Amino acid sequence: MSNFQQMLSQALVSGQLWTDEPMSRHTTFRVGGPADYYVEAQTAAELSQVLGLCRRQEVPCYVVGNGSNLLVGDGGYRGVILSLGKQFSGVEKAGEGKLLAGAGALLSVVAKTALKESLAGMEFASGIPGTVGGAVVMNAGAYGSELADVLGSVMLLDPEGEVGRFSPAQLELGYRSSNIQARGLVVLQAEFNLEPGEEKQIAGRMEELAAQRRAKQPLEYPSAGSTFKRPEGYFAGRLIEEAGLRGFCVGGAQVSEKHCGFVVNRGSATAADLRQLFREVQRRVREHSGVELELEVKLLGDF
């Protein structure tokens, strides 16, 4: 056991540590090589200890949620992948129209809790496969709504180990963006402000959106959702289709035949396949329409 590994172990009381952990187990693309260290923290104190240790030892560290917006290279990640354990996955009602959710809670669970409490506003999130923490970081959205519409406040851990509450305005939430990662902050919990509603109507809207997803999105294959951000004044999927790329493949990676805004793993894709396909799509769309597509998927590690 290395000295650093020993220090990591000592930083964890109830958390867990794995070495050479395949990231294909932790991303929705189902690809990715091994992380040197994969840590699942159960408390804010453990998070702070691990982050502080990585800073002092100058070891790269990256915080992941559900891996639903992430492509890790086939060579893996040289450093620590830090995830939030079950202690961060609670969701509860906290006053009139409010839900509190841990950063590790799935958005789908928050939406189901809102339905159970007859609270409207989270229907759009019921099919988003990410965690609360990841969704706050990227201001996740779907069907014309986004997290900023319902976010009340966010509890964050700063690089000095201090915990504080931040308003959405302080986080500079934009289209699929925030200042959270740039400031070295880690999401611990989010408060959602929702409206009283009729359970039947809320359930109906959730089913309506679920039906749209089943009809239009390639849910049968591993993917990271929308691969590219929506260019202003355009739709990424339409630009990709107009460039003649529906069904285009690189190895086991493919532009979905069902929805060109999605790149999928047909079962045998490597991270290299996916990255090459991303680049080819960007090149061909640029040549065809003059529009520069920006990746929504985060690239991490050694390719």
Side-chain angles (χ1 to χ4, degrees), residues 65-132:
N66 198 40
S68 58
N69 201 46
L70 187 64
L71 177 63
V72 179
D74 299 311
Y77 183 73
R78 305 286 72 78
V80 176
I81 295 291
L82 182 53
S83 69
L84 281 67
K86 290 184 179 180
Q87 296 301 315
F88 289 96
S89 62
V91 183
E92 61 184 21
K93 190 173 182 182
E96 191 65 32
K98 295 184 184 296
L99 289 181
L100 280 180
L106 292 172
L107 279 183
S108 58
V109 173
V110 180
K112 287 176 184 176
T113 304
L115 170 62
K116 179 182 174 183
E117 298 292 345
S118 298
L119 294 173
M122 286 296 294
E123 294 89 333
F124 77 94
S126 58
I128 297 176
T131 60
V132 167

Side-chain angles (χ1 to χ4, degrees), residues 237-249:
R238 187 172 299 166
L239 291 171
I240 295 166
E241 182 174 10
E242 290 171 352
L245 291 167
R246 182 181 292 275
F248 174 73
C249 292

Side-chain angles (χ1 to χ4, degrees), residues 13-279:
V13 177
S14 53
Q16 290 184 278
L17 167 65
W18 292 265
T19 58
D20 298 320
E21 176 68 8
M23 288 305 294
S24 56
R25 298 176 182 172
H26 303 283
T27 65
T28 57
F29 262 134
R30 298 290 178 255
V31 301
D36 289 346
Y37 306 98
Y38 187 93
V39 173
E40 186 179 90
Q42 296 290 355
T43 66
E46 288 183 342
L47 283 172
S48 183
Q49 289 279 341
V50 172
L51 290 166
L53 175 62
C54 290
R55 279 196 302 275
R56 291 191 299 274
Q57 297 294 316
E58 298 182 339
V59 174
C61 182
Y62 189 83
V63 180
V64 299
N66 198 40
S68 58
N69 201 46
L70 187 64
L71 177 63
V72 179
D74 299 311
Y77 183 73
R78 305 286 72 78
V80 176
I81 295 291
L82 182 53
S83 69
L84 281 67
K86 290 184 179 180
Q87 296 301 315
F88 289 96
S89 62
V91 183
E92 61 184 21
K93 190 173 182 182
E96 191 65 32
K98 295 184 184 296
L99 289 181
L100 280 180
L106 292 172
L107 279 183
S108 58
V109 173
V110 180
K112 287 176 184 176
T113 304
L115 170 62
K116 179 182 174 183
E117 298 292 345
S118 298
L119 294 173
M122 286 296 294
E123 294 89 333
F124 77 94
S126 58
I128 297 176
T131 60
V132 167
V136 171
V137 168
M138 68 170 292
N139 190 22
Y143 300 104
S145 298
E146 59 186 12
L147 230 62
D149 298 332
V150 292
L151 200 58
S153 65
V154 182
M155 185 182 291
L156 296 161
L157 177 72
D158 72 18
E160 284 69 50
E162 298 295 323
V163 174
R165 282 209 171 268
F166 292 70
S167 69
Q170 290 174 292
L171 305 180
E172 299 176 359
L173 300 177
Y175 175 67
R176 305 296 178 268
S177 66
S178 72
N179 63 21
I180 293 172
Q181 284 186 316
R183 295 169 64 183
L185 302 169
V186 178
V187 180
L188 300 179
Q189 184 189 72
E191 176 189 70
F192 297 99
N193 293 334
L194 306 173
E195 297 292 334
E198 293 290 334
E199 185 174 347
K200 187 175 180 180
Q201 291 181 352
I202 296 168
R205 178 59 176 161
M206 288 171 66
E207 179 50 44
E208 178 187 332
L209 295 179
Q212 288 185 41
R213 285 188 179 90
R214 290 192 296 269
K216 297 179 180 179
Q217 297 181 11
L219 304 179
E220 64 273 28
Y221 294 112
S223 79
S226 297
T227 306
F228 301 95
K229 294 182 179 180
R230 185 180 68 242
E232 189 171 351
Y234 300 91
F235 291 99
R238 187 172 299 166
L239 291 171
I240 295 166
E241 182 174 10
E242 290 171 352
L245 291 167
R246 182 181 292 275
F248 174 73
C249 292
V250 172
Q254 182 185 46
V255 174
S256 169
E257 295 176 313
K258 186 183 274 189
H259 189 314
C260 291
F262 286 67
V263 171
V264 300
N265 175 5
R266 290 295 299 262
S268 60
T270 64
D273 291 340
L274 289 157
R275 192 184 194 194
Q276 185 179 340
L277 189 147
F278 296 164
R279 288 173 167 172

